[in-house]
Amino acid sequence: MDFDFGALANGAQQYATRSEELRRRIDELKTEAESADGRVKAQWTSAGLAGVVLDPRALRMPAAELGERITDTVRDAQREFEREVGELTAESFGPNGDQMAEPPSAEEAAAFVTDLHSTFESTLHETTAIIDSMRRAFQQR
C-alpha cells in the first residue's frame, strides 16, 4: 500500500481552510425568533443569547406567562441557530461531517504500518552499513 503524504497534507490544509471559513460564518450568524403574538423577540449568536425585545403589550401579561413566553422564544432562537449551524456545516463538510476521505480499513492500516516498518528497517540497515563503512575508512587512516 502506498501512502501519499502530499495528498494527506493537501487534504489537511483544505480541511483547515474549510474549518476557518465555517468558524467565521458561525461567528457572523445571528438568528431571531418571535412569539406567535409578536410580543417577544429573541436573538441568538455564537456567544449565546444576544438580546430580548419586549413589545409594550407584553408588560401587561401576568409575570409567569411572560416568563414562559420569553423562555420559549429564546429556545426557538437557539434552535434556529443550531439548525443554521448544521446547514453551514453540511455545506462545508457534507451531511456526515468531514468528507475529506474515508478512513482506511483495518487491513489497509495494518498494511501501511507493515510497509512503514519495512521501509524504516531497510533505511536503518542502509544507514548502519554507511556508518560502519565510514568507521572502517577512518580507522585505516
Side-chain angles (χ1 to χ4, degrees), residues 41-55:
K41 293 179 184 176
Q43 297 175 337
W44 197 271
T45 68
S46 62
L49 183 62
V52 174
V53 177
L54 301 176
D55 182 281

Side-chain angles (χ1 to χ4, degrees), residues 90-116:
E91 282 177 29
S92 295
F93 297 106
N96 298 320
D98 179 22
Q99 296 298 306
M100 187 170 77
E102 288 292 318
S105 67
E107 294 80 20
E108 291 172 324
F112 171 71
V113 170
T114 300
D115 288 347
L116 190 60

